[in-house]
């Protein structure tokens, strides 16, 4: 791999992990449990703050709890990257993980390579549309074991949208490295384009199991496995 890459930032869904786990396990679990969770915890400070944000973003009355619940469920159905929804989903998923209702899927090649990079002292970070809390749960309770200690930090949509180049500059500032020393891994070309526009190195994961990509424009090295990333990024 290029010697100027001093840290790696990875997406989760479709990159380290199968899209199906999020789509077929986590989203339905949140949709099933959010209504009762909101009703039971609506007076908790953290949930009150989330409901305030939902009401403001959706233009709904703050005291219409059932209306806010319906809005949250609509956002889940739309896969809307709304920060209050992501935060609430993380709270609900926390319970599911800790109760042993599921373990997060991680591709074996991703787990092995992440462990290898960490052992070599290469700092690793996550940038995902899921909340930071949800990211941490994902890697702590993974099928590959507890991978959370491998990561030096986490970023979510509070730094900005993943298709916005300015988000990647904010991550640079937080990590404390120039863009030219950072590598971003994702399965979404628009995200990679934004990172490249900010000056990052990029690598496009095109998992055969998660066919969301076209042939690409040639701006990003393309691999099907984490095991191929280093070879694809030789200078």
């Amino acid at each position: 791999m290029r010697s100027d890459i001093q840290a790696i930032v990875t997406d989760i869904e479709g990159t380290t992990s199968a899209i199906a786990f999020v789509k077929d396990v986590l989203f339905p679990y949140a949709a099933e449990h959010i209504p009762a969770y909101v009703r039971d915890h609506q007076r908790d400070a953290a949930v009150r703050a989330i409901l305030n944000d939902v009401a403001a973003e959706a233009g709904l009355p703050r005291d219409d709890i059932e209306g806010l619940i319906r809005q949250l469920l609509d956002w889940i159905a739309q896969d809307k990257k709304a920060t209050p929804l992501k935060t609430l989903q993380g709270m609900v998923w926390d319970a599911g993980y800790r109760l042993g209702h599921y373990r997060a899927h991680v591709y074996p090649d991703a787990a092995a390579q992440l462990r290898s990079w960490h052992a070599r002292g290469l700092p690793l970070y996550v940038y995902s549309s899921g909340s930071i809390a949800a990211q941490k749960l994902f890697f702590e309770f993974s099928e590959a074991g507890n991978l959370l200690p491998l990561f030096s930090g986490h970023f979510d949509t509070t730094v900005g949208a993943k298709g916005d180049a300015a988000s990647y500059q904010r991550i640079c500032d937080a990590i404390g490295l120039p863009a030219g020393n950072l590598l971003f891994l994702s399965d979404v070309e628009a995200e990679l384009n934004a990172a490249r526009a900010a000056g990052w190195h990029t690598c496009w994961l095109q998992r055969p199991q998660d066919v969301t990509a076209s042939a690409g424009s040639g701006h990003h090295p393309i691999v099907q496995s984490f095991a191929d990333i280093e070879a694809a990024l030789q200078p």
Side-chain angles (χ1 to χ4, degrees):
M1 189 158 61
R2 300 178 59 102
S3 61
D4 55 349
I5 294 175
Q6 298 181 19
I8 297 173
V9 181
T10 184
D11 172 48
I12 297 177
E13 187 179 346
T15 303
T16 65
S17 313
I19 291 173
F21 173 72
V22 177
K23 179 182 177 183
D24 298 338
V25 178
L26 289 184
F27 281 2
Y29 189 91
E32 179 182 353
H33 290 85
I34 273 178
Y37 189 91
V38 169
R39 294 182 189 114
D40 292 345
H41 298 276
Q42 59 183 288
R43 292 180 177 82
D44 296 354
V47 176
R48 284 204 315 269
I50 291 169
L51 295 177
N52 289 341
D53 291 342
V54 174
E57 186 165 341
L60 294 172
R62 172 58 182 83
D63 58 356
D64 182 6
I65 297 300
E66 296 305 314
L68 297 176
I69 289 172
R70 286 193 297 273
Q71 182 63 74
L72 287 161
L73 297 178
D74 284 345
W75 283 347
I76 291 175
Q78 299 165 19
D79 192 18
K80 184 176 175 63
K81 311 301 184 184
T83 297
L85 169 63
K86 296 299 181 181
T87 304
L88 185 61
Q89 283 175 320
M91 293 178 179
V92 172
W93 291 333
D94 181 284
Y97 281 115
R98 297 185 190 282
L99 289 169
H101 290 171
Y102 41 74
R103 287 288 182 269
H105 171 267
V106 175
Y107 287 111
D109 59 87
Q113 191 60 62
L114 290 168
R115 287 187 169 114
S116 175
W117 285 331
H118 177 74
R120 285 155 48 187
L122 193 61
L124 304 174
Y125 298 85
V126 177
Y127 180 29
S128 172
S129 59
S131 70
I132 289 173
Q135 295 172 25
K136 290 181 176 180
L137 288 166
F138 193 102
F139 286 109
E140 180 178 359
F141 295 96
S142 88
E143 294 173 350
N146 183 5
L147 302 178
L148 185 58
L150 304 182
F151 296 98
S152 298
H154 299 257
F155 302 94
D156 60 15
T157 53
T158 57
V159 302
K162 295 178 75 180
D164 184 351
S167 303
Y168 297 87
Q169 184 55 55
R170 295 184 191 104
I171 293 174
C172 288
D173 296 341
I175 292 175
L177 287 173
N181 295 138
L182 295 172
L183 167 65
F184 182 54
L185 311 175
S186 178
D187 66 320
V188 178
E189 186 177 18
E191 297 174 3
L192 296 165
N193 290 342
R196 179 60 63 90
W200 292 45
H201 298 285
T202 55
C203 189
W204 190 352
L205 272 292
Q206 292 192 4
R207 299 281 187 180
Q209 303 93 324
D210 297 322
V211 182
T212 62
S214 61
S217 57
H219 297 308
H220 314 287
I222 295 173
V223 299
Q224 293 187 348
S225 165
F226 268 58
D228 301 326
I229 290 172
E230 293 199 22
L233 290 168
Q234 292 297 334

